[in-house]
Amino acid sequence: MSSRAQRLSRAQPREGIWAGGLFVLALAGCGTDAPPARVHDLTAAFPLAEVRAETGRIDFGTPAARPHLLDGWHGNERGRGGETFVWGRGAVSTLAFHLVAPRDLIATLRAAPLAGAPPQRVTVL
């Protein structure tokens, strides 16, 4: 092998080392200054989570119904036959209930005015 060929064969590995070193330096310079991603452990917060079931029925006049009766209601009462009820107070009484997802519903309300009172109207908004 000629002396020139020997010099070239020895130079190629050095050039490979230089090229590899430059490649590593180039990759090191390609990083971003973005902050690390924030990670939230949702299982740790579970004891604080509010787990709510969808409201299926509200039995007016019972202690279980009180959280749904937001404003404009009198106290719980019980009729002679044991039926529970509550009177609306004033022109507006507010009722709240929870749905898991928005959708059309059919609501049934069983109501009656005080015996001998004139007919009443209920508006649902």
Side-chain angles (χ1 to χ4, degrees), residues 97-119:
F97 54 92
H98 175 72
L99 295 178
V100 174
R103 63 184 186 281
D104 292 339
L105 292 175
I106 296 175
T108 304
L109 176 66
R110 189 178 56 150
L114 183 61

Side-chain angles (χ1 to χ4, degrees), residues 15 37 78 88 99 107:
E15 289 172 4
R78 186 172 296 274
L99 295 178

Side-chain angles (χ1 to χ4, degrees), residues 4 27 39 47 51 55 58 63 75 86 88 100 106 122:
R4 184 172 194 272
L27 283 179
V39 177
V51 179
T55 305
I58 300 172
V86 63
V100 174
I106 296 175
V122 174

Side-chain angles (χ1 to χ4, degrees), residues 51-70:
V51 179
R52 295 178 64 188
E54 188 165 284
T55 305
R57 178 181 177 178
I58 300 172
D59 188 2
F60 288 74
T62 64
R66 293 317 298 188
H68 301 285
L69 308 180
L70 299 184

Side-chain angles (χ1 to χ4, degrees), residues 1-9:
M1 186 182 292
S2 73
S3 64
R4 184 172 194 272
Q6 287 176 351
R7 276 185 273 137
L8 288 176
S9 68

Side-chain angles (χ1 to χ4, degrees), residues 2 13 27 36 38 43 45 47 61 77-78 80 83 85 93 100 116 118-119:
S2 73
L27 283 179
R38 181 176 279 181
T43 57
E77 296 197 34
R78 186 172 296 274
R80 289 187 188 123
E83 68 279 2
F85 64 94
S93 299
V100 174

